[in-house]
Amino acid sequence: MKTNSWTRRAMLLLAALTALLSGCTTYVTTQVTAFSDWSGSDATRTYAFTREPEQRSNLELSTYERIVANELATHAFRQVDRNEARYLVGLSYGIRSDLVTVAEPVYYNPWPAPYWGWGRPFDPWGPWGPFPAGYVNQSYPIFTHLLGVRITERATGKEVYNVSARNSGAESSLVRAMPYLARSALADFPLGNGVVRTVKIPLDRNGGTSNETAVPAAGAAAAASAPAAAPGAKAVQ
C-alpha cells in the first residue's frame, strides 16, 4: 500500500518529536527540611562518623557514609579520627513502599480503520474518534527514600545541624537513590533553622547524578542570601 504525503509528514513529525524528547533533562526532586544552630565560626571543620553499637559492622551504612563524606568535603569538612574531631556526624536512612492507584481513561474507536478529518491532517483519528469509554483503576508501586544527617559537637554533645531529605518514585533501590538524597540534604549548607525546600538534581544519560551546575529557581525569596548551591543541585524554594 502506497503511503500518501500526509502520512509521510506525520511520521516525520513524530520522529522529530521523539528525538527532541530523548534529549530532555530529567530531574530527581527531593524535599529537604533543616534545623540549624550553626555558628559558622569554625575555621576547620573536622568530623568523624558516629554509630550505634548495633551498627558498627554495617556494610550498608559504610556505603552511605562514603557518599555523605563526599558531599561534606565540598563544604570544607575533613574526616579525622574520632578523638580529633570537632563534630560527630550520624546518619539515619530508610525506604518505604506503597501502592498508588490512578483512574486512567480507556478509549475505543468505532471505525475499523483510522480516518483523516477535514482540515486536521495530523489527527490520525479525524473527527470520529477515539471516544472515551470510561475509566479503569491502575495500581503502581512507589518508593519513598529517606536520609537524615545529624551533626553534633563532640565535646559538648550539642546538636548544631539536623537535616532530612525525602524523595519518591519508581526506584526500588535505596543505594541508587542515596547520592541524590545526600547531595540534596547538604546543598547550600548550612541552611537556616526551620527551612523547608525542594531541590532538583538532573539525571544524566547513564542514570547517575549529573555534574550540571546548579541555578537556583528565579523568584526564590531566600535564594539571594543563600550560599551557592552544590554542583548538580537546583533549589526551588
Side-chain angles (χ1 to χ4, degrees):
M1 181 179 178
K2 186 177 180 179
T3 305
N4 62 41
S5 60
W6 285 120
T7 303
R8 287 196 299 271
R9 291 183 186 180
M11 293 172 65
L12 290 173
L13 180 63
L14 180 60
L17 181 60
T18 301
L20 178 63
L21 292 177
S22 64
C24 292
T25 302
T26 301
Y27 290 90
V28 176
T29 302
T30 302
Q31 184 178 6
V32 175
T33 303
F35 297 95
S36 176
D37 190 20
W38 192 268
S39 65
S41 61
D42 53 322
T44 303
R45 297 174 175 179
T46 56
Y47 77 97
F49 285 108
T50 182
R51 297 184 177 189
E52 298 298 328
E54 63 272 12
Q55 296 177 319
R56 288 177 182 171
S57 299
N58 190 318
L59 289 176
E60 181 182 13
L61 180 54
S62 296
T63 301
Y64 301 154
E65 285 176 345
R66 287 194 293 271
I67 295 172
V68 172
N70 289 336
E71 297 302 325
L72 287 171
T74 67
H75 300 288
F77 280 89
R78 181 168 60 91
Q79 191 172 1
V80 297
D81 290 337
R82 182 185 177 97
N83 293 335
E84 301 174 2
R86 178 173 180 178
Y87 300 107
L88 296 179
V89 178
L91 304 184
S92 57
Y93 54 89
I95 184 170
R96 184 181 71 243
S97 63
D98 297 288
L99 280 178
V100 175
T101 301
V102 180
E104 297 183 345
V106 177
Y107 296 92
Y108 78 98
N109 179 42
W111 301 94
Y115 292 86
W116 301 100
W118 292 102
R120 301 168 65 185
F122 292 102
D123 181 359
W125 299 106
W128 300 288
F131 299 98
Y135 290 85
V136 61
N137 289 333
Q138 295 283 356
S139 295
Y140 302 94
I142 187 170
F143 300 89
T144 301
H145 319 97
L146 303 166
L147 171 66
V149 180
R150 183 173 183 262
I151 303 177
T152 59
E153 292 181 342
R154 181 182 63 85
T156 64
K158 177 185 176 183
E159 182 180 86
V160 293
Y161 201 70
N162 193 327
V163 61
S164 61
R166 180 180 76 250
N167 59 38
S168 300
E171 177 57 68
S172 61
S173 169
L174 182 58
V175 132
R176 287 197 289 265
M178 190 56 65
Y180 302 99
L181 292 170
R183 183 173 293 187
S184 299
L186 295 171
D188 294 344
F189 177 89
L191 297 175
N193 187 49
V195 169
V196 179
R197 68 173 187 168
T198 299
V199 177
K200 295 172 65 178
I201 298 178
L203 181 73
D204 68 17
R205 293 183 179 181
N206 297 321
T209 52
S210 170
N211 290 323
E212 179 181 318
T213 302
V215 179
S225 60
K234 181 178 293 185
V236 181
Q237 303 292 339

